[in-house]
Amino acid sequence: MQALNSLNRFAPYALGLLRIAAALIFIIHGTQKLFGFPAPPASGLPAMFTLFWFGAVLEAFGGLLILIGLWTRPVAFILAGEMAYAYWMFHAPRSLYPLLNGGDAAILYCFVFFYLVFAGPGAWALDNRSK
């Protein structure tokens, strides 16, 4: 176990990679709904100022802030809440089981962002520039 403890020095970099990877994929969810990129959603683009449009704005621009590591903790808190809301309002009514209701991603994003609230942004973040 002592050998594995030597990996602790890489924890900030692993956290930074988790933040960046999650943000990149999350941004794509937002750009799909806002701009139809890389492909429009099956239900079409949401009308402006609807619940789905606000969700897309949070995903695209909140994801961008998470990507660059700016205001990571408060933005991650908001995005974790958005994903919890998405799961319980849109996925859970179909079935409680994520495998059956398509809510796997929402749950994972919720907990990854919730973790970032407490762990911070990790390496390569603008939040670290004053340190």
Side-chain angles (χ1 to χ4, degrees):
M1 284 301 147
Q2 191 68 359
L4 292 179
N5 286 337
S6 68
L7 294 175
N8 290 345
R9 64 188 160 138
F10 298 109
Y13 304 103
L15 179 57
L17 287 173
L18 174 66
R19 174 182 50 82
I20 290 167
L24 286 170
I25 299 167
F26 200 64
I27 290 167
I28 295 295
H29 285 280
T31 60
Q32 178 189 34
K33 295 172 194 148
L34 285 178
F35 311 117
F37 177 81
S43 58
L45 299 179
M48 285 184 91
F49 304 111
T50 61
L51 186 63
F52 290 107
W53 183 83
F54 282 113
V57 169
L58 283 173
E59 290 164 12
F61 296 102
L64 181 62
L65 291 171
I66 295 292
L67 176 67
I68 64 175
L70 184 61
W71 304 317
T72 303
R73 291 175 194 259
V75 172
F77 182 77
I78 292 166
L79 296 181
E82 178 202 7
M83 290 294 97
Y85 181 85
Y87 183 79
W88 289 109
M89 292 303 296
F90 303 108
H91 296 284
R94 288 187 239 157
S95 170
L96 191 59
Y97 300 102
L99 182 66
L100 302 177
N101 68 24
D104 309 52
I107 290 172
L108 283 171
Y109 280 123
C110 179
F111 282 95
V112 166
F113 293 138
F114 193 63
Y115 177 65
L116 290 177
V117 172
F118 294 94
W124 311 301
L126 289 179
D127 288 340
N128 298 333
R129 68 184 177 263
S130 64
K131 291 181 180 178

